[in-house]
Amino acid sequence: MIIVIDGPAGSGKSSTARAIADRLDIEYLDSGALYRTATLIYLEANRDKETFFRLLNQKNISFYYEDQKFHVAVDGESVTNKIRTGEVTKSVSEVAALPRVRSFVNNLMRDVVLDGIYIAEGRDLGTAVFPDAELKFFMSADLEERAKRRLSERRKNNPGLTLEEVKQNIAERDLKDSKRQADPLKKADDAIEIDTTNLSFEQQVDKICLEIREILKETE
Ligand code: CDP
């Protein structure tokens, strides 16, 4: 069974999905982390597309969720922290726009959700990857609010970071993600929209959990 949450950067998808996975004891899948991993390989290939696609097919990418963290390894070596650097964040939307990268990541995800109950989050999961998902959510929030949240998350590791920088980065990524040809960021017609601008974290988790519990009851 698969439940999906899509939405723009900083809307709270990832922290919410992790809290739900813990509360309901289900699996969590972070599609953005897989695009970030592809981006790391792209940077390793010095942005040469031929080398990049060759490496992407050769490398063994594995992932799992544990202790509130989505862990990713490439050929057995953890890249969990490396995929969160500013360098990767700056290039990820460009790499994620490549149709070959999208089908690579989609195949990784479709294979893994065959067993168990998953909550997955991303940009196009309800529209392109899992159009038949049991339940779909689309999380949104004002740009200003999203930038503030992202800044407080990132400031610990990056004390010089400013609100303007974060705002610019997420606005640029949102634009690229929404305008790209291949599976753009878009609310699925049958997704439940959750605007989190004025919701507390607990409120947004409760709201989504309530809907999921109903579905889980129905399928029991
Ligand atoms: O957490 P954050 O909002 O920074 O982004 P992420 O979920 O880690 O995703 C990073 C990037 O991957 C996004 O800006 C998109 O360009 C891309 N992505 C995508 O194209 N499709 C998805 N299903 C998930 C992420």
Side-chain angles (χ1 to χ4, degrees), residues 18-38:
R18 278 183 276 131
I20 291 168
D22 292 345
R23 207 189 271 186
L24 302 179
D25 197 19
I26 59 179
E27 300 293 332
Y28 164 65
L29 181 55
D30 177 354
S31 63
L34 302 179
Y35 285 104
R36 287 171 178 275
T37 305

Side-chain angles (χ1 to χ4, degrees), residues 6-11 13-14 30-33 35-36 84 89 92-94 96-97 102 106 109 121-125 129 150 154 169-170 173-174 177 180 183:
D6 287 312
S11 55
K13 304 177 303 281
S14 139
D30 177 354
S31 63
Y35 285 104
R36 287 171 178 275
R84 304 280 160 197
T89 303
V92 63
S93 290
E94 173 195 334
R102 301 208 73 77
N106 291 348
M109 292 194 287
E121 49 101 0
R123 301 290 190 286
D124 61 336
L125 304 186
V129 192
R150 192 44 56 95
R154 297 279 149 91
N169 171 274
I170 61 180
R173 274 201 291 142
D174 285 353
D177 293 344
R180 69 172 175 238
D183 305 333

Side-chain angles (χ1 to χ4, degrees), residues 24-136:
L24 302 179
D25 197 19
I26 59 179
E27 300 293 332
Y28 164 65
L29 181 55
D30 177 354
S31 63
L34 302 179
Y35 285 104
R36 287 171 178 275
T37 305
T39 305
L40 196 67
I41 297 172
Y42 178 67
L43 295 176
E44 250 177 57
N46 288 322
R47 300 174 184 269
D48 176 70
K49 296 232 172 79
E50 206 181 309
T51 314
F52 166 53
F53 287 123
R54 185 171 39 79
L55 288 177
L56 198 60
N57 288 323
Q58 280 171 357
K59 298 214 184 244
N60 174 37
I61 299 176
S62 55
F63 47 91
Y64 61 95
Y65 176 63
E66 199 177 82
D67 293 335
Q68 303 252 307
K69 222 176 186 175
F70 188 76
H71 299 261
V72 186
V74 176
D75 289 339
E77 192 191 315
S78 171
V79 294
T80 305
N81 295 327
K82 272 195 201 163
I83 60 174
R84 304 280 160 197
T85 60
E87 208 193 350
V88 169
T89 303
K90 265 193 209 126
S91 298
V92 63
S93 290
E94 173 195 334
V95 176
L98 301 170
R100 270 172 80 175
V101 173
R102 301 208 73 77
S103 62
F104 177 84
V105 168
N106 291 348
N107 286 338
L108 281 179
M109 292 194 287
R110 289 189 183 120
D111 280 352
V112 83
V113 304
L114 291 174
D115 281 327
I117 304 177
Y118 276 85
I119 183 154
E121 49 101 0
R123 301 290 190 286
D124 61 336
L125 304 186
T127 51
V129 192
F130 300 110
D132 299 325
E134 271 76 5
L135 203 48
K136 301 177 185 177

